[in-house]
Amino acid sequence: MYEKYLTAASQSILRRRSASIITNDLYLAAFLHSVGCSLDHLEHNGRRRVSFVFIGDRCRELRQAYLTGPVKLDMRSFRESLSLIRHMMDGENEQRSAARARIQNRKALQTCSG
């Protein structure tokens, strides 16, 4: 993954945990989750982009299998993981949008009263 998408915290996590990966690929995230990798946390990089941080001994191996391809998986599990990952991603973006709107409202109020 390109370093421009990683925050300092993510870069630190990758250096400390060799068995972790960070991706902003929604389908790779759903695949990793469906085959048993643990989703450690979600992270924002200052834009509307959400990165998924996975930990587990097989994360790198499974990512390579996904990228080089074909992989076998339970489609029901993949669909459930995809739905969960999307829900988490949408929730993160909604929280950031709401926070951004509150900041803009405060600035507008300060301008009006000042």
Side-chain angles (χ1 to χ4, degrees):
M1 185 169 146
Y2 297 114
E3 288 202 17
K4 67 180 181 179
Y5 297 126
L6 300 179
T7 63
S10 291
Q11 291 173 0
S12 175
I13 288 169
L14 282 180
R15 282 191 291 274
R16 284 181 286 141
R17 296 183 184 168
S18 61
S20 67
I21 64 166
I22 299 175
T23 183
N24 54 18
D25 180 341
L26 176 68
Y27 297 104
L28 173 56
F31 168 72
L32 291 173
H33 187 265
S34 71
V35 295
C37 291
S38 297
L39 179 60
D40 190 50
H41 66 278
L42 273 66
E43 187 165 310
H44 276 277
N45 70 345
R47 303 180 201 165
R48 288 186 54 92
R49 186 175 297 257
V50 175
S51 296
F52 306 94
V53 180
F54 285 91
I55 57 172
D57 295 332
R58 296 188 59 216
C59 284
R60 292 183 187 275
E61 173 189 339
L62 290 167
R63 177 182 59 183
Q64 190 62 31
Y66 172 85
L67 295 173
T68 58
V71 294
K72 292 183 180 182
L73 60 103
D74 178 7
M75 284 305 292
R76 180 175 295 177
S77 176
F78 177 76
R79 186 182 68 212
E80 290 171 359
S81 291
L82 182 60
S83 178
L84 174 71
I85 295 290
R86 280 185 173 156
H87 179 72
M88 293 171 73
M89 183 178 72
D90 290 343
E92 285 287 317
N93 282 333
E94 286 175 11
Q95 288 176 3
R96 290 186 59 87
S97 293
R100 192 174 300 121
R102 284 192 300 272
I103 290 169
Q104 289 173 346
N105 286 342
R106 284 187 202 135
K107 286 181 180 177
L109 288 172
Q110 289 173 350
T111 304
C112 290
S113 64

